[in-house]
Amino acid sequence: MAIRSAAAATATPDGPTTFCDGGSVDLTVTPVDGVGPYSYQWYDGSGPIAGETTDTLNVTASGDYYCDVTDDDPTCGNTETSNSILVTVNPNPTVT
């Protein structure tokens, strides 16, 4: 009998996670283990983000983001939660 560990997942940003209003950052989650295909659900501080069920999330608002990744192992169907990434969106500077 083979014993499988739960699918591990790592979330990474494609750029700075602190930026001014109007900017954005893509977060991508990568499963490290498990059996594909995988299903994804992204979350912020208020819960699941509706419709965000791919491996990449485009973020334009401040928050703490993470993703649940579920593998397709027919015997376990493991779900692993990725690391969280804090995004900070600052207001644009005002010219006086």
Side-chain angles (χ1 to χ4, degrees), residues 11-15 17 19 24-30 40-45 47-68 82-83 85 87:
T12 55
D14 75 343
T17 57
F19 49 86
S24 68
V25 63
D26 284 338
L27 307 180
T28 301
V29 66
T30 304
Y40 305 91
Q41 178 60 63
W42 286 94
Y43 294 81
D44 62 13
I49 304 171
E52 296 299 343
T53 57
T54 65
D55 64 343
T56 301
L57 176 69
N58 181 260
V59 178
T60 59
S62 292
D64 201 15
Y65 296 88
Y66 64 92
C67 187
D68 279 350
S82 75
N83 55 299
I85 297 178
V87 175

Side-chain angles (χ1 to χ4, degrees), residues 32-96:
V32 177
D33 198 1
V35 177
Y38 301 94
S39 59
Y40 305 91
Q41 178 60 63
W42 286 94
Y43 294 81
D44 62 13
S46 61
I49 304 171
E52 296 299 343
T53 57
T54 65
D55 64 343
T56 301
L57 176 69
N58 181 260
V59 178
T60 59
S62 292
D64 201 15
Y65 296 88
Y66 64 92
C67 187
D68 279 350
V69 179
T70 303
D71 74 15
D72 197 34
D73 186 331
T75 60
C76 298
N78 296 308
T79 298
E80 183 72 20
T81 301
S82 75
N83 55 299
S84 63
I85 297 178
L86 180 62
V87 175
T88 303
V89 180
N90 294 315
N92 288 316
T94 310
V95 177
T96 56

